[in-house]
Amino acid sequence: MGYASLESHLPSSHAPLLPPGTFLSISDTQASDGNFLLHHFVSNYIKADQNVVLVGLAGILVHYTMVGRKLGVNLATARTKGNFQFVDGLTQLTDYAAPNKEYLAKLAEPKPATTTSTATPSPPTTTTTGARITRPAAAAATPLAPPKVLSYSPKLVELYRALEGIIQETASKTKTGPSEKQLVLILDDLSVLLNCGWPCRDVLALVRYLKLLVAKFNGTLITLVHADGLMAEEVSQDGLVKGVFYEADYIIDVRGLDSGGSRDVHGQLSLLHGPGYLLRQRSGQVRENEWPALTLHYKILDNNVEVFAKGYSSGVL
Amino acid sequence: MAPILEKIMAGKEASPFILVKDTLEQSGQVLGLELLSNSPSDHAIILVCAETAPDRLLPLVKGNQKKAIVDCYSNPLGWVKDITFSTTAARDATFENTTTTVSLTLRNIRKATKVITDLITSQRSNFTIYFDSLSQFLIASVPDTFNLLRSITALLTDTSRIIAIHHEDIPDADSFLPDSSSKPQASNSLAHIATTLITLKSSEALRQDQEDFKRGTVTAKEFSYLTVHGNAWDSAVCEVEHKRKSGKVARETNAYHQSTPTGNLTVVNVWDVVGDMPDIDKMDLEESQTADPAANLSFNLNLTEEQRKAKNDTVLPYLKTQESTGAIYYEPDAADDFDDDDPDDDLTI
């Protein structure tokens, strides 16, 4: 279980997992990082032996592994089992990080048995205009294949195709049991795509396509987007947050306290009803009080996050 | 006097273009679908789905009219070659029998216009076309979206109409350009061409405004894209501006109420939903309905016929001067020392 105090506030139909075919949008700010929620879901899905595809656009695998350890999951084991797939969307996403071809040619020369534990790509056979999922040579010594890397492409559709391939692969590998496993695709985070230069409209389209894709595989989509008040003046940032909120079925907004920082309360967490939720209520897919809209406070501890009602912080009681 | 929203819902007020303006805080989708469900039975209903999956939208349209779906949702930018996002509903035989589905991308709104107008003409009947989000079109191209609306308007018959949901808070394609402030806002232009404009507000937002008005203060609001009071299922406030064919414009603030999330909408007075309103509109109404001010006095301010005649016959003392060109008429009294000469004659400057 991730954070026990958060469980009761999440949709209960498929608890501790999310209902398949839905999209949870998490928004956060500079003052209050929403990352802790992602770790909660990673931990829950892995403990329930379901599939997780985590696209790290803003973080590296080591970070998730360390936090996972604190929450009691071993991401390395999960990767070997095939339950957990990490996609590196950080090191080579932009053309700034495009590999130096000469350097790579040298690497390709003798000693193919050298272990490469991080994501150094093998010499590309195609140019960088196409999408590649570079799979570094997994030498016999390493038991684990290094994570797949998303390489730069001027068109975001290539990124979609790369993720599509990964999801299909993950789902098919673990389809051995009688029932299909649930999948969760986590994008951490969307604002990176905007900052790297892809237009807002394309990023929103990516979210739409991914949402439809994971629904086919009995999955849920979770994304993180930055929604600071200061950034609202910028049209693309503002458009991205609003667009994502219109697409979402569930919205959790993590924000700092309006009155400033505090030792006992690190911020507030709001469960919000967006237009998508209203429509689902109208069609009867969610019952009246299944997921009430409310604001809670939270405090991040070393191994846990405490979520409590406003005014009930342990520092106050 | 029934609220204007109720008349529009019942079809008693004709309106060729109903525009529902909403925001994240209060979605207009539920109202839009209710308006659509009340379409006349001889209408063909065309659902243009850009923001909601067709299989989610179709069950919410009650009524037995013939339906056609334009699916702009599943493949907005043409990233997938064929639509394999078929849903269980699409495979259901009854669905296929009563509905035609056309898939579109939103990359080229002009092509989309052709497809939609062809679909309309192929229906060969009065129609109601429903856009679940014009904003998805506007984010592609503002002028092309307006051309799309114009092309549809050209096909409108006596009772056919367009119902469109527009999200005021989503930036349109023009907003992303550096010189966006000099261009007309798409929102305003849409409001001009719509014959009925319904702006949605959440009941809680209006309650807050009323509280502030009573107290005479404005509560400081911390920044958020959406509050916990957003999208309450039980009620919402609608500001309606309806332009009649005669040219008269009816402006009212109504509200709707639901007793269960899946139940029917009932149009109610806004103060039933928001609470007693000491608001300006109500006060203005009271003022304009006040009786004759000369009614309850202890003296008589009215004129009899004779008095009125006498009043009209009085000669006003300076009437002659009012009618003249501007020459000065000076009539000296006995005490005046009248001298026609110019007093400054003896000056040597």
Side-chain angles (χ1 to χ4, degrees), chain B residues 147-264:
Chain B
N147 272 327
L148 167 65
L149 289 170
R150 263 188 46 205
S151 313
I152 300 175
T153 315
L155 298 170
L156 288 179
T157 62
D158 267 351
T159 55
S160 298
R161 63 221 185 118
I162 306 173
I163 303 176
I165 313 277
H166 169 61
H167 305 308
E168 308 192 71
D169 48 3
I170 291 195
D172 53 52
D174 287 345
S175 315
F176 291 95
L177 304 169
D179 61 342
S180 59
S181 49
S182 60
K183 292 202 174 70
Q185 283 248 304
S187 253
N188 294 338
S189 315
L190 277 175
H192 274 296
I193 58 178
T195 45
T196 305
L197 179 65
I198 306 177
T199 309
L200 270 287
K201 291 216 159 68
S202 76
S203 316
E204 184 58 35
L206 214 68
R207 270 183 219 122
Q208 272 295 329
D209 283 349
Q210 295 301 319
E211 277 298 312
D212 289 346
F213 187 77
K214 276 191 197 146
R215 279 197 232 128
T217 58
V218 176
T219 33
K221 290 183 186 76
E222 45 184 83
F223 175 84
S224 65
Y225 278 97
L226 180 55
T227 69
V228 287
H229 306 294
N231 292 307
W233 60 266
D234 59 343
S235 66
V237 175
C238 314
E239 290 173 3
V240 185
E241 189 182 289
H242 176 66
K243 298 170 196 156
R244 297 197 173 99
K245 272 207 191 113
S246 58
K248 273 185 105 178
V249 179
R251 241 182 234 104
E252 271 181 39
T253 306
N254 297 142
Y256 71 77
H257 170 77
Q258 282 177 260
S259 43
T260 62
T262 49
N264 289 328

Side-chain angles (χ1 to χ4, degrees), chain A residues 72-133:
Chain A
V73 278
N74 188 330
L75 290 185
T77 327
R79 280 179 66 212
T80 346
K81 272 174 71 182
N83 278 0
F84 178 73
Q85 186 77 256
F86 182 74
V87 182
D88 175 349
L90 183 77
T91 54
Q92 281 183 46
L93 198 63
T94 61
D95 55 351
Y96 301 150
N100 181 331
K101 293 196 184 69
E102 287 177 10
Y103 173 69
L104 287 172
K106 282 199 198 145
L107 274 186
E109 279 160 33
K111 297 202 189 121
T114 357
T115 56
T116 47
S117 55
T118 52
T120 9
S122 39
T125 45
T126 55
T127 53
T128 43
T129 48
R132 313 191 310 267
I133 305 167

Side-chain angles (χ1 to χ4, degrees), chain A residues 29-305:
Chain A
T29 65
Q30 226 179 11
S32 54
D33 197 336
N35 224 278
F36 68 91
L37 287 171
L38 300 180
H39 297 296
H40 169 88
F41 289 109
V42 170
S43 151
N44 274 5
Y45 271 79
I46 292 184
K47 283 190 181 161
D49 198 35
Q50 306 297 312
N51 293 334
V52 178
V53 177
L54 173 59
V55 182
L57 293 160
I60 51 173
L61 181 56
V62 178
H63 169 68
Y64 298 103
T65 315
M66 289 197 334
V67 178
R69 205 175 295 155
K70 288 189 185 173
L71 293 179
V73 278
N74 188 330
L75 290 185
T77 327
R79 280 179 66 212
T80 346
K81 272 174 71 182
N83 278 0
F84 178 73
Q85 186 77 256
F86 182 74
V87 182
D88 175 349
L90 183 77
T91 54
Q92 281 183 46
L93 198 63
T94 61
D95 55 351
Y96 301 150
N100 181 331
K101 293 196 184 69
E102 287 177 10
Y103 173 69
L104 287 172
K106 282 199 198 145
L107 274 186
E109 279 160 33
K111 297 202 189 121
T114 357
T115 56
T116 47
S117 55
T118 52
T120 9
S122 39
T125 45
T126 55
T127 53
T128 43
T129 48
R132 313 191 310 267
I133 305 167
T134 48
R135 245 161 278 197
T142 45
L144 266 175
K148 302 202 167 64
V149 186
L150 290 176
S151 350
Y152 169 70
S153 163
K155 293 209 169 75
L156 207 55
V157 56
E158 308 295 344
L159 204 125
Y160 167 71
R161 298 223 171 93
L163 287 175
E164 187 183 14
I166 295 173
I167 291 174
Q168 281 170 337
E169 199 193 305
T170 313
S172 60
K173 262 198 229 165
T174 52
K175 213 170 179 175
T176 46
S179 61
E180 210 182 329
K181 275 198 186 176
Q182 275 200 268
L183 174 81
V184 67
L185 171 64
I186 303 179
L187 292 173
D188 176 20
D189 57 62
L190 282 180
S191 304
V192 167
L193 293 174
L194 208 64
N195 295 337
C196 287
W198 282 290
C200 171
R201 194 178 167 211
D202 286 7
V203 181
L204 287 173
L206 178 71
V207 172
R208 166 80 60 81
Y209 279 105
L210 287 175
K211 177 180 167 184
L212 290 169
L213 178 69
V214 295
K216 271 166 68 179
F217 292 98
N218 199 24
T220 316
L221 175 66
I222 303 181
T223 61
L224 180 62
V225 70
H226 298 315
D228 297 74
L230 290 173
M231 300 209 294
E233 287 164 6
E234 210 199 288
V235 185
S236 358
Q237 295 278 11
D238 189 51
L240 177 64
V241 179
K242 286 177 177 159
V244 165
F245 277 14
Y246 271 106
E247 286 282 337
D249 296 305
Y250 300 100
I251 300 172
I252 299 184
D253 178 64
V254 179
R255 209 157 278 278
L257 291 176
D258 200 36
S259 44
S262 155
R263 194 185 47 193
D264 295 311
V265 180
H266 290 152
Q268 67 182 40
L269 201 154
S270 302
L271 312 178
L272 301 171
H273 291 176
Y277 188 84
L278 186 64
L279 212 62
R280 290 180 83 219
Q281 262 191 324
R282 183 95 179 106
S283 63
Q285 284 177 322
V286 285
R287 287 184 317 269
E288 194 182 314
N289 278 318
E290 196 175 298
W291 200 63
L294 40 87
T295 303
L296 302 157
H297 283 173
Y298 68 89
K299 179 177 177 181
I300 299 184
L301 304 165
D302 190 45
N303 284 357
N304 195 12
V305 170

Side-chain angles (χ1 to χ4, degrees), chain B residues 107-340:
Chain B
R107 281 172 77 171
N108 191 331
I109 308 286
R110 292 192 196 174
K111 268 198 203 157
T113 304
K114 182 92 186 20
V115 172
I116 292 175
T117 47
D118 284 348
L119 184 65
I120 293 174
T121 42
S122 74
Q123 300 295 315
R124 288 178 216 281
S125 71
N126 293 328
F127 64 93
T128 301
I129 183 165
Y130 180 80
F131 285 89
D132 78 334
S133 171
L134 266 185
S135 314
Q136 296 289 331
F137 286 82
L138 288 166
I139 207 176
S141 158
V142 176
D144 286 346
T145 307
F146 277 90
N147 272 327
L148 167 65
L149 289 170
R150 263 188 46 205
S151 313
I152 300 175
T153 315
L155 298 170
L156 288 179
T157 62
D158 267 351
T159 55
S160 298
R161 63 221 185 118
I162 306 173
I163 303 176
I165 313 277
H166 169 61
H167 305 308
E168 308 192 71
D169 48 3
I170 291 195
D172 53 52
D174 287 345
S175 315
F176 291 95
L177 304 169
D179 61 342
S180 59
S181 49
S182 60
K183 292 202 174 70
Q185 283 248 304
S187 253
N188 294 338
S189 315
L190 277 175
H192 274 296
I193 58 178
T195 45
T196 305
L197 179 65
I198 306 177
T199 309
L200 270 287
K201 291 216 159 68
S202 76
S203 316
E204 184 58 35
L206 214 68
R207 270 183 219 122
Q208 272 295 329
D209 283 349
Q210 295 301 319
E211 277 298 312
D212 289 346
F213 187 77
K214 276 191 197 146
R215 279 197 232 128
T217 58
V218 176
T219 33
K221 290 183 186 76
E222 45 184 83
F223 175 84
S224 65
Y225 278 97
L226 180 55
T227 69
V228 287
H229 306 294
N231 292 307
W233 60 266
D234 59 343
S235 66
V237 175
C238 314
E239 290 173 3
V240 185
E241 189 182 289
H242 176 66
K243 298 170 196 156
R244 297 197 173 99
K245 272 207 191 113
S246 58
K248 273 185 105 178
V249 179
R251 241 182 234 104
E252 271 181 39
T253 306
N254 297 142
Y256 71 77
H257 170 77
Q258 282 177 260
S259 43
T260 62
T262 49
N264 289 328
L265 258 72
T266 25
V267 178
V268 293
N269 275 321
V270 61
W271 40 88
D272 288 341
V273 150
V274 168
D276 213 21
M277 309 220 293
D279 84 317
I280 304 169
D281 284 349
K282 225 178 173 185
M283 284 175 353
D284 277 350
L285 201 66
E286 281 168 6
E287 254 177 55
S288 62
Q289 287 168 347
T290 44
D292 179 27
N296 294 323
L297 299 166
S298 57
F299 46 89
N300 188 12
L301 278 178
N302 299 318
L303 296 169
T304 65
E305 261 315 304
E306 281 173 7
Q307 288 168 334
R308 202 183 301 265
K309 206 161 153 294
K311 180 178 144 211
N312 286 339
D313 286 343
T314 25
V315 178
L316 297 169
Y318 299 105
L319 205 57
K320 198 164 112 187
T321 51
Q322 280 179 15
E323 289 159 10
S324 69
T325 48
I328 300 171
Y329 292 95
Y330 174 59
E331 280 154 21
D333 298 332
D336 282 334
D337 183 16
F338 187 67
D339 187 353
D340 239 334

